[in-house]
Amino acid sequence: TFGLGSLGLFVAIRRCARTPGLSVILITLLAWLPFVGGAGSLVATSRSVRQMALEVSRRACPDDLLVHEGPIDNSGALEFYSGLRPLILDGRVSVLGFGATFPRAGESFWERPRLAEAWRSHHRVFLLTIRAPGKSAVGDLPALEVHQLAGGNGRWLYSNRP
């Protein structure tokens, strides 16, 4: 596409034809536009949290807890698709981590000991993490109480109930 566009533009320049040159540029860009749209769609699908959030939504009850490990920056639609407001585990260091500095943020930003306490409680806890299993807080939890529900798009979904 760009080769033919360049050739057409070269011919238009040699003939000092401005209108055909502009037409060649526009046709080349319009021919390339579907490829750009398709690539954008593939990137969006591969980075989407939608499937994991819908899995949480399908399984969750109103008193269940949803915890997102790490910065929420790349999982912003989690609450929208799951219907649950996520608690943020180890999320103080991120672009959006400034929210942890507000006085009422203590309930929303958790550290690992608080997750461990909730994991042993009567609540069902869903943990969505962007960290590989070896680097995740899941490694600190009792192995018999960790149930992987889903994995994909660089995320893992766990629960303390099967």
Side-chain angles (χ1 to χ4, degrees), residues 7 13 16 34 41 56 61 66 74 82 99-100 113 136 140 155:
L7 184 61
I13 289 171
C16 295
S41 177
V56 170
C61 295
L66 174 59
N74 291 326
S82 70
S136 172
D140 298 340
R155 294 176 178 85

mmCIF file of all heavy atoms in Angstrom, residues 7 13 16 34 41 56 61 66 74 82 99-100 113 136 140 155:
data_model
loop_
_atom_site.group_PDB
_atom_site.id
_atom_site.type_symbol
_atom_site.label_atom_id
_atom_site.label_comp_id
_atom_site.label_asym_id
_atom_site.label_seq_id
_atom_site.Cartn_x
_atom_site.Cartn_y
_atom_site.Cartn_z
ATOM 1 N N LEU A 7 4.929 5.554 -5.003
ATOM 2 C CA LEU A 7 5.123 5.634 -6.455
ATOM 3 C C LEU A 7 4.182 6.671 -7.064
ATOM 4 O O LEU A 7 4.594 7.512 -7.883
ATOM 5 C CB LEU A 7 4.900 4.259 -7.094
ATOM 6 C CG LEU A 7 5.160 4.161 -8.585
ATOM 7 C CD1 LEU A 7 6.606 4.504 -8.905
ATOM 8 C CD2 LEU A 7 4.822 2.769 -9.075
ATOM 9 N N ILE A 13 4.615 14.450 -7.967
ATOM 10 C CA ILE A 13 5.637 15.472 -7.714
ATOM 11 C C ILE A 13 6.386 15.810 -9.005
ATOM 12 O O ILE A 13 6.654 16.979 -9.297
ATOM 13 C CB ILE A 13 6.603 15.002 -6.610
ATOM 14 C CG1 ILE A 13 5.878 15.004 -5.255
ATOM 15 C CG2 ILE A 13 7.838 15.884 -6.544
ATOM 16 C CD1 ILE A 13 6.670 14.361 -4.137
ATOM 17 N N CYS A 16 4.407 18.067 -10.994
ATOM 18 C CA CYS A 16 3.963 19.267 -10.275
ATOM 19 C C CYS A 16 2.443 19.332 -10.165
ATOM 20 O O CYS A 16 1.822 20.392 -10.310
ATOM 21 C CB CYS A 16 4.502 20.537 -10.941
ATOM 22 S SG CYS A 16 6.291 20.654 -10.846
ATOM 23 N N PRO A 34 -8.328 0.491 7.546
ATOM 24 C CA PRO A 34 -8.891 -0.752 8.115
ATOM 25 C C PRO A 34 -7.854 -1.598 8.853
ATOM 26 O O PRO A 34 -8.178 -2.240 9.859
ATOM 27 C CB PRO A 34 -9.432 -1.505 6.899
ATOM 28 C CG PRO A 34 -9.628 -0.473 5.857
ATOM 29 C CD PRO A 34 -8.593 0.582 6.110
ATOM 30 N N SER A 41 -8.160 -3.014 17.544
ATOM 31 C CA SER A 41 -9.131 -3.931 18.133
ATOM 32 C C SER A 41 -8.447 -5.141 18.767
ATOM 33 O O SER A 41 -8.819 -5.582 19.856
ATOM 34 C CB SER A 41 -10.119 -4.390 17.060
ATOM 35 O OG SER A 41 -11.018 -5.322 17.581
ATOM 36 N N VAL A 56 -16.312 -12.910 37.439
ATOM 37 C CA VAL A 56 -16.593 -12.504 38.824
ATOM 38 C C VAL A 56 -18.074 -12.190 38.966
ATOM 39 O O VAL A 56 -18.734 -12.644 39.913
ATOM 40 C CB VAL A 56 -15.737 -11.280 39.235
ATOM 41 C CG1 VAL A 56 -16.202 -10.723 40.566
ATOM 42 C CG2 VAL A 56 -14.270 -11.653 39.292
ATOM 43 N N CYS A 61 -21.713 -12.932 44.897
ATOM 44 C CA CYS A 61 -22.885 -12.539 45.687
ATOM 45 C C CYS A 61 -22.623 -11.129 46.221
ATOM 46 O O CYS A 61 -21.478 -10.684 46.241
ATOM 47 C CB CYS A 61 -23.082 -13.508 46.855
ATOM 48 S SG CYS A 61 -23.473 -15.171 46.322
ATOM 49 N N LEU A 66 -14.041 -8.223 46.128
ATOM 50 C CA LEU A 66 -13.206 -8.259 44.931
ATOM 51 C C LEU A 66 -11.960 -7.444 45.213
ATOM 52 O O LEU A 66 -12.050 -6.262 45.567
ATOM 53 C CB LEU A 66 -13.960 -7.680 43.728
ATOM 54 C CG LEU A 66 -13.175 -7.521 42.433
ATOM 55 C CD1 LEU A 66 -12.611 -8.861 41.953
ATOM 56 C CD2 LEU A 66 -14.050 -6.894 41.360
ATOM 57 N N ASN A 74 -4.520 -0.460 34.489
ATOM 58 C CA ASN A 74 -4.846 -1.225 33.290
ATOM 59 C C ASN A 74 -6.090 -2.088 33.445
ATOM 60 O O ASN A 74 -6.392 -2.897 32.576
ATOM 61 C CB ASN A 74 -3.666 -2.117 32.889
ATOM 62 C CG ASN A 74 -2.505 -1.299 32.398
ATOM 63 O OD1 ASN A 74 -2.682 -0.257 31.779
ATOM 64 N ND2 ASN A 74 -1.299 -1.741 32.683
ATOM 65 N N SER A 82 -17.882 -6.047 36.459
ATOM 66 C CA SER A 82 -18.146 -7.003 37.540
ATOM 67 C C SER A 82 -19.313 -6.584 38.424
ATOM 68 O O SER A 82 -19.959 -7.425 39.047
ATOM 69 C CB SER A 82 -16.910 -7.182 38.413
ATOM 70 O OG SER A 82 -16.656 -6.019 39.177
ATOM 71 N N GLY A 99 -4.634 8.348 45.071
ATOM 72 C CA GLY A 99 -5.900 8.174 45.776
ATOM 73 C C GLY A 99 -5.719 7.604 47.169
ATOM 74 O O GLY A 99 -6.544 7.819 48.055
ATOM 75 N N ALA A 100 -4.624 6.876 47.380
ATOM 76 C CA ALA A 100 -4.351 6.289 48.698
ATOM 77 C C ALA A 100 -3.975 7.341 49.731
ATOM 78 O O ALA A 100 -3.961 7.051 50.923
ATOM 79 C CB ALA A 100 -3.229 5.263 48.577
ATOM 80 N N PRO A 113 -1.186 -8.346 54.617
ATOM 81 C CA PRO A 113 -1.775 -8.943 55.836
ATOM 82 C C PRO A 113 -3.301 -8.819 55.883
ATOM 83 O O PRO A 113 -3.987 -9.732 56.338
ATOM 84 C CB PRO A 113 -1.122 -8.156 56.968
ATOM 85 C CG PRO A 113 0.165 -7.669 56.395
ATOM 86 C CD PRO A 113 -0.128 -7.388 54.952
ATOM 87 N N SER A 136 2.987 -12.907 42.958
ATOM 88 C CA SER A 136 1.708 -12.444 43.469
ATOM 89 C C SER A 136 1.556 -12.721 44.960
ATOM 90 O O SER A 136 2.247 -13.565 45.539
ATOM 91 C CB SER A 136 0.582 -13.156 42.707
ATOM 92 O OG SER A 136 -0.668 -12.888 43.284
ATOM 93 N N ASP A 140 1.591 -16.072 49.285
ATOM 94 C CA ASP A 140 1.574 -15.927 50.738
ATOM 95 C C ASP A 140 0.356 -16.594 51.380
ATOM 96 O O ASP A 140 0.276 -16.693 52.591
ATOM 97 C CB ASP A 140 1.554 -14.436 51.122
ATOM 98 C CG ASP A 140 2.781 -13.698 50.635
ATOM 99 O OD1 ASP A 140 3.807 -14.356 50.344
ATOM 100 O OD2 ASP A 140 2.720 -12.457 50.536
ATOM 101 N N ARG A 155 -3.519 -11.714 33.216
ATOM 102 C CA ARG A 155 -4.197 -11.628 34.503
ATOM 103 C C ARG A 155 -4.570 -13.020 34.987
ATOM 104 O O ARG A 155 -4.770 -13.925 34.197
ATOM 105 C CB ARG A 155 -5.473 -10.788 34.381
ATOM 106 C CG ARG A 155 -5.223 -9.340 34.076
ATOM 107 C CD ARG A 155 -6.556 -8.622 33.869
ATOM 108 N NE ARG A 155 -6.371 -7.221 33.619
ATOM 109 C CZ ARG A 155 -6.125 -6.712 32.426
ATOM 110 N NH1 ARG A 155 -6.034 -7.496 31.376
ATOM 111 N NH2 ARG A 155 -5.971 -5.412 32.277
#
